[in-house]
Amino acid sequence: MTWTRRHILSLEDFTIEEYNAVLQTAASFREVLSRRTKKVPALQGQVIANMFFEPSTRTRSSFELAAKRLSADILNFAPGTSSLTKGETILDTAKTYLAMGANIMTIRHQQAGVPQIIAQEMDRLDSGVSILNAGDGLHQHPSQALLDLFTLTSVLDRDNPRLELLSGKKIAIVGDILHSRVARSNIYSLTAAGADVHLCAPPTLLPKLFLDIVDGEASNKLFLHWELTPALEDADFVMTLRLQKERMSGNFIPSLREYHQRYGITRNRLKLCHPDVKVLHPGPVNRGVEITSDLMDDPELSLIPHQVTSGVAVRMALLYLIGSSN
Amino acid sequence: MTWTRRHILSLEDFTIEEYNAVLQTAASFREVLSRRTKKVPALQGQVIANMFFEPSTRTRSSFELAAKRLSADILNFAPGTSSLTKGETILDTAKTYLAMGANIMTIRHQQAGVPQIIAQEMDRLDSGVSILNAGDGLHQHPSQALLDLFTLTSVLDRDNPRLELLSGKKIAIVGDILHSRVARSNIYSLTAAGADVHLCAPPTLLPKLFLDIVDGEASNKLFLHWELTPALEDADFVMTLRLQKERMSGNFIPSLREYHQRYGITRNRLKLCHPDVKVLHPGPVNRGVEITSDLMDDPELSLIPHQVTSGVAVRMALLYLIGSSN
Amino acid sequence: MTWTRRHILSLEDFTIEEYNAVLQTAASFREVLSRRTKKVPALQGQVIANMFFEPSTRTRSSFELAAKRLSADILNFAPGTSSLTKGETILDTAKTYLAMGANIMTIRHQQAGVPQIIAQEMDRLDSGVSILNAGDGLHQHPSQALLDLFTLTSVLDRDNPRLELLSGKKIAIVGDILHSRVARSNIYSLTAAGADVHLCAPPTLLPKLFLDIVDGEASNKLFLHWELTPALEDADFVMTLRLQKERMSGNFIPSLREYHQRYGITRNRLKLCHPDVKVLHPGPVNRGVEITSDLMDDPELSLIPHQVTSGVAVRMALLYLIGSSN
């Protein structure tokens, strides 16, 4: 296929061809990353502005490393030492980077919709710049869901990861669904793949209206559970989500200990799942809350390090696909 | 001409030949920046230390991008996480970067004169290091004035920007002149070009002694206004300046609203100017204070994005000229 | 020799062959650094993660520049904007960088032992990653001691610096020994070289148990003094240490002024030493406390700028040696 999408803002309207293009491109970059010299000149001379208005270790470093391995030049925007403190609007900051020659902007912001607004402005100006949503509020985190997809499909066929491999698989997503942009993005990609997606959380963190996030055929693929057992039964994959400790003050859960007792993933509980089950977590992990420490460190059961490694390959793929079509 | 100036600290004693060398070199780099691969190996293996003791988005990023496109290695100095917190003197910090092999240091500091002091020390040590003043207190901001000059002369002759193009042009500089190092640097370059420079601000922000900033022939080119109308009449260019909100507490202006009413640049007020008038602003802009939002975004009237783009080309030119003559 | 050590955590068990390999490799990189193009492709495509949990200008910049000159890709970890603020453990942060493809991690941490713990975990995972201790608590700072060693031996034979040159030399280390990881690392390297090491500090900053830091033959090479005169008499080199001002509150010294009167190094006091004596300091310096300002700036007596320059060459050597043996 020829890649035509300029911005990657949400997975809501991603096509099967687009998912597969990302998976195949990421697989070829994974091969590059296994070489001693892990660099390709694909985006040499292009400028990628990393605009992270919200703190992040792993996503920022992952994008930065992906960009370096494509030989792009990188501008890191640090809001603390920036013109924002002088009252400049976010759009004006983005237009400044545009005028400096940025070709791609990766944007993380605590407010949902900021990457969309910047993308609209870039299009209105006919700038040719691509926007990559690196996480916006509670809305979307497409690169995370795509690296999860790459991780899952690579388990099933490492040489040829593709969307259809997940058809009919049961995938449980357990944890703070309500506040998770990772969950929202994954629901789109996994139901598009034809997987059965079972969401599980306490009722305060999983309102019924979540069933409306998808429609059409996909809505038959989405299930809600307030108890763990039915979610885990025969599951092929269990995706755990980070429980942000600041949620405690909102009375969403009674205590971390009680949360772990009812929803924490343990080696024992995994016996409910398919014998080949694997566990994922987007990180950073609260050890002993969402997942026990020994399970997280078990290379037979945990895909967590694979997710991080996949992140670099998938982000190289995304930057390459939108950067080459510019 | 052969470039011989080692440091760029102030425009006070810049020669016509130096201005034109910067403009012509910047024009050739603008051509490089329009290519797909925007890099040249001019400063490969040289080390540029960006020492920004004062926060900055655009100037720091602009210098960083210019250095990357010349293939230099960059050391970013962040005062927050630095030895300054351990009591080291600024001169000792600079000498540390010298000993590490820095060839050029770009320095921004809230105190006027810091780049000059470091330059003197570097010369005393016979180090061969060049200092580039990236803004010192209320004193000078030469790279900003040079990018303004490049922007203005490029409007008049894009292929061959040169100082004489501004001879006899009327240029209004409106806003907080008193606290503006940008205005101080521009007064030198624009009067050197033979332009008529009309400064306009409330009396609290424009003391009469500003007339003494230039002498000789240039002093006939400098005019002061406390009202906007005579400054704008038949102006070819209007340079607006940032009004720093922290000035409010000093009782320099009665209110932002009243300031805008008397000195804000609007589409209507521009009718006083020459029909081809263009507006500049060094950024970041307080929309609706110094300039109306619609005017700022009007590509027919606003040169603001051109200034940012020019910034990268001009800073490449400055780094190249002083880096090649080392 | 063939370099086999994977991690550089402490100098306690360094062999003479290892010291000499570092010195000779650093000497060859010093030659590279004197060229106009100061870069070699030795570590191209390798990823070096600089994980500085403690603020630092000179050590971080020195490692960063060394990595750039070896053409490695660099990931800078800034704890302020990181997942640490979200409660991630240090080991999980390190494993994230491992999964992203880091080949070498340079680690500075305020707690002694952190680099060791990360190195053990990297080995347990059979990761092949190398850990370079960039300063841990009061424990060790091996790259600083190695650059001191390179500086000292280069004074004695610039073309062929080697450990044996220091045999029988008298080296005084003066200052806050108790809180100095630099002193601890230097004691190992200098006694291994066969130098006589004379520690000098007020009793509160130099407990007697320091004599136990080395054993065997080396213990005959280590001397303690609470007065300056016997430490300086006929000394070939005087290493001064930083007096951290925060120690004042712990009542370790009566006042900075009194400390300087009794232990500060002055031009007059150096007359006690060997006529060719040279002075070192790891920086940043409290001018007028550990050492007088004029002495620090005297190129005949002070090796301080040479130490900083040596730092880049030695860190290139360390990264190269462990990076090539990966």
Side-chain angles (χ1 to χ4, degrees), chain A residues 191 195-198 211 214-223:
Chain A
T191 56
D196 291 322
V197 179
H198 291 253
L211 282 175
V214 288
D215 51 22
E217 207 178 324
S219 65
N220 300 322
K221 297 289 188 181
L222 196 60
F223 306 89

Side-chain angles (χ1 to χ4, degrees), chain C residues 216-241:
Chain C
E217 207 178 325
S219 66
N220 301 322
K221 296 290 188 180
L222 196 60
F223 307 89
L224 262 58
H225 305 277
W226 295 342
E227 300 289 334
L228 197 52
T229 302
L232 294 190
E233 277 173 347
D234 294 317
D236 296 281
F237 296 102
V238 179
M239 305 181 93
T240 55
L241 298 175

Side-chain angles (χ1 to χ4, degrees), chain B residues 102-115:
Chain B
N103 303 98
I104 298 174
M105 299 178 191
T106 66
I107 296 172
R108 169 170 287 200
H109 199 281
Q110 55 273 25
Q111 294 281 338
V114 166

Side-chain angles (χ1 to χ4, degrees), chain B residues 73-74 83 88 92 99, chain C residues 39 57-58 68 242 287 309:
Chain B
D73 284 323
I74 300 161
S83 291
E88 192 179 48
D92 283 344
Chain C
K39 261 187 131 116
T57 299
R58 62 190 63 223
K68 284 181 175 169
R242 177 177 170 70
R287 287 175 172 264
T309 306

Side-chain angles (χ1 to χ4, degrees), chain A residues 6 12 51 63 74 102 108 126 167 176 224 243 267 313:
Chain A
R6 170 165 292 155
E12 189 167 2
M51 302 170 66
F63 269 114
I74 300 162
R108 167 169 288 201
D126 201 18
S167 178
D176 182 359
L224 262 58
L243 187 73
R267 200 177 285 275

